């Protein structure tokens, strides 16, 4: 228990209330104490017959903050928390992040076929879908094996979260449009000294540059452009190649920083383009499977939404012929499945 919650319960429980079945004689405060105790005893399968000093009847070591919160919510004295966990974003019948599925083709490039400008509610959603696989750090990297058998860290995505003064600024308030170039500051806070290439994130971006691998760029945006207090979301800005990588003096602080300039990817990495086509096929096959397995109209609607997003996706627009047959199959499946589920719903009514 937190000190505040524990103190409040102890003060309430210290009332010397005698309860012998004559509940009508109790004052409001004592009655509330009994409600707490009855709830606690139900929870731990115990029975209380008589109270004198009610504090000694509460199993303090068995209660935690979640128990107190559950009681307060059940009595209507506290609103339920907004769900901020990652599990709510699991998609297409999965019980884990999409990119952790066995046999997932690759984590580089636009493996999820997102469209430029696609919005994500928060970092948890972008993590689950694999856009940027970190919920706090600005740089996401992949551990890969090199031809010599050694492992290296190569960056696959970065996030502009308005955290560094030298970044391309005001991205959260200006009208969103894919930039010709972004200036990105590596990781390492000013109070920790100068930034270095020893950091996995900074080293990873440098290795992505050396290998011609583009990085995904995620940009933080205000929900209401003119008000920071309106909350925020994140937008997929596209694939960018690392054009410049250097250690320079900060223009805003006394720190030495690792600075990178990102420019739009030219779709000129043959190996990655093969992976893009493989990911596109794997993605549409998963959507088709989920649509076939849909047991109600809610699941059907989720599959339909994912299909529309697929048709908007950056990779599909580049390689539509790769999945031409699957697109025809999916269109027919959505029509027939909706008809069937709708008829079943009418029968149930």
């Amino acid at each position: 228990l937190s000190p505040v919650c524990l103190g409040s319960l102890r003060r309430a429980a210290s009332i010397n209330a005698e309860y012998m079945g004559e509940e009508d004689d109790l004052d409001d405060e004592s009655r509330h104490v009994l409600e707490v105790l009855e709830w606690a005893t139900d929870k731990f399968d115990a029975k209380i017959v008589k109270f004198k000093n009610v504090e000694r009847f509460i199993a303090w070591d068995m209660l935690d903050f979640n128990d107190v919160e559950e009681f307060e919510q059940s009595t209507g004295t506290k609103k339920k928390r907004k769900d901020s966990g990652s599990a709510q974003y699991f998609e297409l019948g999965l019980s884990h992040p999409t990119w952790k599925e066995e046999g997932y083709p690759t984590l580089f490039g636009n493996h999820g076929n997102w469209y430029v400008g696609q919005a994500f509610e928060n970092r948890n959603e972008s993590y689950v879908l694999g856009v940027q696989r970190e919920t706090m750090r600005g740089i996401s990297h992949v551990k890969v094996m090199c031809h010599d058998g050694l492992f290296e860290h190569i960056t696959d995505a970065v996030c502009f979260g308005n955290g560094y003064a030298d970044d391309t600024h005001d991205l959260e308030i200006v009208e969103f449009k894919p930039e010709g170039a972004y200036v990105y500051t590596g990781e390492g806070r000013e109070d920790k000294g100068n930034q270095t290439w020893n950091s996995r994130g900074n080293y990873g971006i440098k290795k992505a540059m050396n290998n011609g691998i583009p990085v995904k760029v995620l940009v933080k945006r205000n929900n209401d452009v003119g008000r920071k207090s309106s909350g925020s979301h994140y937008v997929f800005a596209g694939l960018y190649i690392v054009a410049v990588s250097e250690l320079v003096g900060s223009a805003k602080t006394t720190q030495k920083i690792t600075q990178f300039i990102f420019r739009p990817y030219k779709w000129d990495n043959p190996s990655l383009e093969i992976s893009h086509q493989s990911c596109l096929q794997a993605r549409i096959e998963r959507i088709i499977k989920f649509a076939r397995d849909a047991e109600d109209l809610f699941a059907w609607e989720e599959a339909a939404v994912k299909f529309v997003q697929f048709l908007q996706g950056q990779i599909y627009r580049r390689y539509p012929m790769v999945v031409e047959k699957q697109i025809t199959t999916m269109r027919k499946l959505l029509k027939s499945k909706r008809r069937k589920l709708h008829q079943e719903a009418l029968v149930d009514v």
Side-chain angles (χ1 to χ4, degrees), residues 144-285:
V144 298
M145 180 182 287
C146 302
H147 61 86
D148 56 2
L150 300 178
F151 286 94
E152 294 246 71
H153 293 273
I154 300 180
T155 293
D156 65 294
V158 300
C159 177
F160 282 87
N162 199 31
Y164 289 93
D166 293 277
D167 286 349
T168 297
H169 60 282
D170 292 339
L171 294 176
E172 76 279 12
I173 60 175
V174 297
E175 179 184 356
F176 173 76
K177 55 183 178 180
E179 297 287 337
Y182 285 105
V183 177
Y184 188 79
T185 305
E187 58 187 12
R189 294 295 179 183
E190 185 180 11
D191 60 353
K192 303 298 182 181
N194 293 330
Q195 294 183 2
T196 70
W197 301 114
N198 294 329
S199 153
R200 284 184 178 178
N202 299 338
Y203 179 80
I205 298 179
K206 195 176 183 70
K207 295 304 293 184
M209 175 182 175
N210 294 343
N211 288 276
I213 298 175
V215 298
K216 296 179 287 293
V217 172
L218 193 68
V219 176
K220 185 178 181 180
R221 302 277 296 160
N222 290 343
N223 292 338
D224 182 342
V225 174
R227 294 188 304 116
K228 287 190 175 183
S229 60
S230 65
S232 61
H233 62 279
Y234 293 82
V235 172
F236 176 63
L239 294 179
Y240 286 77
I241 205 75
V242 185
V244 177
S245 168
E246 56 187 353
L247 185 67
V248 299
S250 169
K252 306 290 178 67
T253 70
T254 59
Q255 186 185 28
K256 287 277 189 180
I257 60 170
T258 53
Q259 191 173 75
F260 309 93
I261 297 179
F262 299 146
R263 299 193 184 279
Y265 173 54
K266 301 296 185 182
W267 308 95
D268 53 359
N269 185 320
S271 177
L272 183 60
E273 294 315 300
I274 293 174
S275 295
H276 275 153
Q277 294 177 49
S278 298
C279 289
L280 199 64
Q281 292 173 317
R283 180 69 178 170
I284 191 61
E285 291 294 346

Side-chain angles (χ1 to χ4, degrees), residues 35 42 69 81 84-85 87 104 147 149 163 204 219 222 262 275 347:
E35 288 179 359
D42 286 342
E69 186 172 57
R81 290 181 178 181
S84 59
Y104 198 81
H147 61 86
V219 176
N222 290 343
F262 299 146
S275 295
V347 171

Side-chain angles (χ1 to χ4, degrees), residues 26-44:
L26 298 174
D27 58 28
D28 291 340
E29 188 171 14
S30 297
R31 196 183 307 279
H32 180 65
V33 170
L34 290 178
E35 288 179 359
V36 176
L37 287 167
E38 288 170 0
W39 165 80
T41 53
D42 286 342
K43 186 173 181 65
F44 300 112

Side-chain angles (χ1 to χ4, degrees), residues 1 22 53 68 71 85 89 107 132 154 159 211 259 299 320 334:
L1 290 171
E22 299 175 355
N53 185 342
V68 177
F71 171 73
Y89 301 111
L107 296 175
Q132 209 274 14
I154 300 180
C159 177
N211 288 276
Q259 191 173 75
L334 283 177

Side-chain angles (χ1 to χ4, degrees), residues 30-79:
S30 297
R31 196 183 307 279
H32 180 65
V33 170
L34 290 178
E35 288 179 359
V36 176
L37 287 167
E38 288 170 0
W39 165 80
T41 53
D42 286 342
K43 186 173 181 65
F44 300 112
D45 297 321
K47 293 182 178 179
I48 294 181
V49 179
K50 183 178 179 180
F51 305 115
K52 284 197 173 179
N53 185 342
V54 294
E55 180 178 11
R56 61 194 178 91
F57 288 95
I58 297 179
W60 297 103
D61 59 323
M62 300 177 70
L63 294 175
D64 58 24
F65 179 77
N66 292 329
D67 297 322
V68 177
E69 186 172 57
E70 180 184 335
F71 171 73
E72 292 178 337
Q73 291 175 354
S74 68
T75 58
T77 58
K78 182 175 182 178
K79 292 183 178 179

